[in-house]
Structures are given as structure tokens and as C-alpha cells.
Amino acid sequence: MLSIRNLEKSFGSLKALNNVSLEVEADSIVGLIGPNGSGKTTLFNVVSGFYEKDAGEIYFKGDRIDGLPPNKIAQKGLCRTFQVSKAPEKLTVLENMLLAARHQQGENPFSALFLRSRVKESENANLKRALELLDTLLLKDLRNAYAGDLSGGQKKLLSLGRVFMLKPDMILLDEPTAGVNPTLVVQLIEAIKRLKEMERRSFFIIEHSMKVISSICDKVYVLNFGQKIAEGTPEEIQQNEQVLEAYLTGA
Ligand SMILES: Nc1ncnc2c1ncn2[C@@H]1O[C@H](COP(=O)(O)OP(=O)(O)O)[C@@H](O)[C@H]1O
Ligand SMILES: [Mg+2]
């Protein structure tokens, strides 16, 4: 579904991505790990169109996507969340979900807000989907709470919900469990599993916790200093000498 070939990206003299090639199959959960500064977020930024690559090719569902702007890539069904989620804090959880969908339909989100009371057919469909997703994410009881009042972990669940409103084929998640308390980490993992089962979406996840990786990923890629140093199942990766060494000696 996603194929990255010989990707290169430098910042000045720093090679953040050095000849990286990898694949994410349809209907799978793939992990991306590596020490701090190894190029993981840069890879997501290039794939999602936020940074320009220096060299290499990126294909999504068979089409070349490198060079396309972020909104075009998202429209093709490849969506992302950010390391720091930024849901509008003064809107409720449910409003945030609906706003995500409206945004996708190319409407001006601000005019949409002023027309809150205007109910359209697409809005009924969106409302139904929003409530189903909030149920899956165990956020339904919080639907009328302000996003700004949620805990860090609940905000991450909400950002997952917001991106799912767009019905993406593949979701890039950058450290979804960072700063999330252990109870919510379990909730987040379960939510990702349920979303995958319900809707057959693919996930590509940057994650520090090997426990999280082992419990959800079919396959893992490892970056170190911008280079791919290993790939395999979570079990294989945990026993890989080069990987262990990178983590011991790395940043
Ligand atoms: N916009 C940028 N400008 C300059 N250097 C950057 C930029 N983004 C990332 N880098 C550098 O590229 C390297 C990889 O960063 P990053 O992809 O954020 O690593 P990771 O997500 O694996 O921790 C780091 O050395 C970082 O300082
Ligand atoms: Mg990062």
C-alpha cells in the first residue's frame, strides 16, 4: 500500500534520512522505532508531504505521491496525527470530531461553526460516524466535555478519532503513547486494534515502547542515524544485535 524507495533527506550537512526503503502492506500495523534523532519524524514529515525529499520515490496505492502537497496526500487516504495533538480546546469532543469531517469536505470551518444549528444530510452521517468512533475510543461519555479539559491521553484518543473521521486508508501515528498514563495506553492500544478490525485500515506507528510495538505490530523497521538497520517481526527485532547496540550506544 505504501512503498518508500531510496529516500534521502538532509538538513544542511546532516543526513536525516539516508537511502531508506520500506513497505507497509494493506491491512497491517507496522512499527517504526529507533533512538532519538534517528529520523523517524522526518520520515513521516516527508511521506505526508510536509517536507520535500532530496531523492527517492514514494508510492501510495500505486501512485507516486512524493512532491504532492499535504492536503492532496491526505485526500488520497494517507493521513497522520502529530506528536503534539492540537484539537481546538474551546470546542467539545463531539464538535471536534464533526469539525474534522467538515474540514475534509473543503468547507470553511469557521462559517461551519456559526451555522452549528443548520443540519445537513452529510452532517447526520458524520454525527453517526462520530458517535460510533467515540464509542470505540471509549470517549462517548465525554462527548460534551471541552477538548481542553481532557487529559493528555484522552487528547491522543481524540486525535485518533478526528483522523478516523476522514476514513483514511492508512494512518501515520507519531508516538501515540508518549506522555500517556499506563491505563490509557492500554485503552489506546485496544482502540487501535478495534479500529483496524472494524475498518481494515493500515497503521504506520512511531513508538518508543517495545511493549506497545510487540502487542500490536505485524512488522517493525528500525532506523539509526537516518539509516534502516533492521526489519522483522517484533520478536526478531528484540533479539537483533545491531538494534540492541544502537539503543545502548545511541542517544
Ligand atoms: N526541520 C529541521 N531542521 C533541521 N534539522 C532537523 C529538522 N527536523 C529534524 N531535524 C534533525 O534531523 C534529525 C532527525 O530528527 P527526527 O526525524 O525528529 O528524529 P526522531 O523523530 O527519530 O527523534 C535530528 O538530528 C534533528 O535534529
Ligand atoms: Mg520524533
Side-chain angles (χ1 to χ4, degrees), residues 45 48-51 68-76 78 80:
N45 280 332
S48 56
F50 286 85
Y51 289 173
L68 294 181
N71 64 322
K72 286 276 183 296
I73 293 174
Q75 276 164 20
K76 281 182 172 288
L78 178 56
R80 70 176 294 183

Side-chain angles (χ1 to χ4, degrees), residues 207-220:
E207 177 56 56
H208 272 294
S209 159
M210 222 28 229
K211 204 173 139 223
V212 173
I213 292 280
S214 308
S215 63
I216 52 175
C217 292
D218 305 302
K219 175 162 190 172
V220 186

Side-chain angles (χ1 to χ4, degrees), residues 133-148:
L133 286 171
L134 289 176
D135 198 23
T136 304
L137 295 165
L138 306 183
L139 285 178
K140 205 171 175 183
D141 292 344
L142 289 168
R143 64 188 176 278
N144 294 321
Y146 286 112

Side-chain angles (χ1 to χ4, degrees), residues 30-36 38-40 204-210 213-214 217 219-224 227-230 234 237-238 243 247:
V30 172
L32 181 62
I33 66 171
N36 275 334
S38 56
K40 306 179 298 294
F204 192 17
I205 305 181
I206 295 174
E207 177 56 56
H208 272 294
S209 159
M210 222 28 229
I213 292 280
S214 308
C217 292
K219 175 162 190 172
V220 186
Y221 288 96
V222 188
L223 288 184
N224 193 28
Q227 281 183 304
K228 180 177 80 179
I229 58 163
I237 290 302
Q238 274 173 302
V243 175
Y247 271 91

Side-chain angles (χ1 to χ4, degrees), residues 103-123:
H103 216 46
Q104 173 76 350
Q105 285 153 8
E107 285 181 40
N108 178 341
F110 296 102
S111 75
L113 277 185
F114 291 121
L115 297 172
R116 233 182 231 175
S117 58
R118 236 179 76 198
V119 179
K120 295 185 222 151
E121 259 179 54
S122 71
E123 304 226 311

Side-chain angles (χ1 to χ4, degrees), residues 3-33:
S3 177
I4 296 171
R5 301 181 195 162
N6 309 108
L7 198 61
E8 307 261 343
K9 175 71 183 173
S10 294
F11 299 107
S13 60
L14 177 92
K15 254 192 190 291
L17 295 173
N18 190 353
N19 198 28
V20 175
S21 298
L22 57 83
E23 311 271 331
V24 180
E25 304 288 335
D27 196 20
S28 70
I29 303 183
V30 172
L32 181 62
I33 66 171

